[in-house]
Amino acid sequence: MLWIAIILLLAIALLFLLHRLAFKRPLNAIAFTVGISIVFITIGYLTSERANALNNETHFTHTNTSNPSTFLFSIDEVLKPSMYQDKYVVALKKIDKEATSGKVILNVNRDSVSHRLRVGDWYYTRALLLPVPKPQNPYQFNYGSYFKRKQIHGQLSINKNELLISQYTSSGLRVWSSRFRESVLKAIHSHSFTRNQIAVIDALVLGQKNGIDKQMSTNYASAGMMHILAVSGLHVGIILLLLRFITKPIADYKLRWLRSIIIIAMIWAFAFITGLSPSVLRAATMFSFLEVGQQLGGKRKTTDAVMASAVLLLIYNPFLIHQVGFQLSYLAVIGILWIQPWLSSFYTPRYYIDKLIWGIATVSVAAQLGVLPLSLFYFHQFPGLFFLSNVIIIPFLGIILGGGILVALLAVLNILPDALVTTYGYAIDLMNGFIFWVASKEAFITNHITISFAFLIGLYLCIIFSISLFKKYNNPRLVAASLSMVLLTSIIIYEKSNPPDTHLTIFNKSKSTMIGTFHNSTLKIHSTDSLHTIIQDSRVRNYKDGLRIDEVAVEFMQNYFRFKRKEILVVDSLGIYQLANANPDYILLTQSPKININRLTERFPKAQIIADASNYKSYITRWKTTCLNKKIPFHSTYEKGAYIIE
């Protein structure tokens, strides 16, 4: 750390020297760029080290947690539950009476009378602290890496009756905000809204997505409107526009700063109502700076204010740079600030209606250009009708959002009239119906788009330099745009000419067996499941996306495979392995065969044993013990994930 501090001081000294020299001669742009880059890089490194929870001496990773321990923790955040578990982010306070720190995921098995835990409450439990989950199959979403980027390095899985409430409790703004949001949710749920209406109201107004089912989430994503269901930049931006409209009478020059103070205060009041979630805090900070930049005047000041908000947030929490929401929010705003004025110059509306439609259209296209490469990189799909969805929904979203806030306020005050409940519920149904209609046009939805990180960078460079050239033509911009296109083309050619290596994968899948072979850009899936089940399986879809292929051949499971001079014997529930001339390198045990593992290993002493997740756990444990005693390699997909033979 000492040498980092020395570099930082030297870089600051260089900038100070350049600043002094600027009064006597033109500033050396290259030297200044190098100096400011060194300053920001070193500040980023220092803040990352400061914010890294693992560097804290009391962090639980420095404690022996290989055995069950007694934990004292507080509920820090309520997550969306799964079908069988409620999920929370908890902050550890003690492990076996020793003060500790760090965040883990708490999984609580659900029952018919289960009530969710509340933010700020403290509990005791005794359990085994487990590592964060790792991907169990190729190209599966890496939840472990995702949690680690959020400073979460472990998980606890318990039953509800294994919790003992503590006399301790947390306080503070986030706890008060959570309690207020709970009271608002309870008040809204007491009225006669339908389940789908309640789900959208909770998500749209309060940032609570627990009621959004998989089908509704898929429909909104397919229509390109998933951002509606996540309270973040869009909602705060609409609140900002509504507040500017409402406070327009006090927009006199002498009162413009009073107007901004009122707007910023109301933005943060909305953030408080929605529970001060990280996405809302990020958006509130960004738009607060945006409002200040607007008052300072000029497009440059507005852009500088947005960048300043990003720097401030990253200094506070440098790990935000890894969060998809942070990346998408700022790229969308940058796209709007940089591209939208250029797009709007192509047409000058004469009437209010076409001015409104043209404004929404240009903002939608600008924002989509800003986030398109990143959306393809993370979500692998492009909703072709996003333009139609935004043009139709966005003009009314301010009314729907404003109406939702009014409904929430009146519900809390217990003066919400039934007529407003019916009217607002009908408006939500209309929006849901339109979203579902757009999502049903599958021909306009492009799925399974997979791009590499190199392609992502190349695509952004191509977009940036091409738009720069269109905005102002000159030779340097023409050269830059041409080089970016050559780079992108080179990346495409390189990736097409270097496909993934041939390999065989034994998937981790409970209750059934699945083997995939990839050779000459062809994927074959061997499984005991039906064709429909295989095609719809998320493991197969992720595998297709990762390998960048469109078609999959499905074949029945075999008892013997030959793959690249390797032989794989499959022993299923029938327990048959006495095959003539068989000399397997690998033996796959599946469907809990009732065999004598000693006899099997004596017959094939050089074969590695693999057990998939279709077997009983007790069988796997017994097989593993026998193989370890005989020093025979053993792999359980249930414990270690899929097994790949290359």
Side-chain angles (χ1 to χ4, degrees), residues 3-74:
W3 64 273
I4 292 292
I6 293 174
I7 292 176
L8 178 61
L9 292 175
L10 290 175
I12 293 174
L14 174 62
L15 290 177
F16 179 77
L17 178 62
L18 291 173
H19 176 73
R20 300 298 299 174
L21 292 175
F23 291 103
K24 300 179 181 180
R25 65 187 71 176
L27 187 64
N28 189 322
I30 296 178
F32 182 81
T33 301
V34 171
I36 201 71
S37 299
I38 293 174
V39 168
F40 273 100
I41 290 172
T42 50
I43 289 176
Y45 179 83
L46 290 173
T47 53
S48 297
E49 288 296 300
R50 172 193 58 80
N52 191 345
L54 297 177
N55 292 332
N56 191 332
E57 293 182 355
T58 63
H59 196 268
F60 68 85
T61 53
H62 305 307
T63 304
N64 183 9
T65 54
S66 57
N67 297 316
S69 305
T70 300
F71 297 91
L72 173 64
F73 56 84
S74 64

Side-chain angles (χ1 to χ4, degrees), residues 264-300:
I264 293 172
M266 295 305 294
I267 285 175
W268 284 96
F270 176 72
F272 180 84
I273 292 173
T274 56
L276 295 175
S277 66
S279 60
V280 176
L281 289 176
R282 181 177 63 242
T285 302
M286 179 172 64
F287 281 101
S288 295
F289 273 77
L290 188 65
E291 175 64 23
V292 172
Q294 184 83 6
Q295 292 304 327
L296 291 175
K299 175 186 172 183
R300 178 64 181 271

Side-chain angles (χ1 to χ4, degrees), residues 76 184 458 464 644:
D76 193 66
V184 174
I464 291 170
I644 300 176

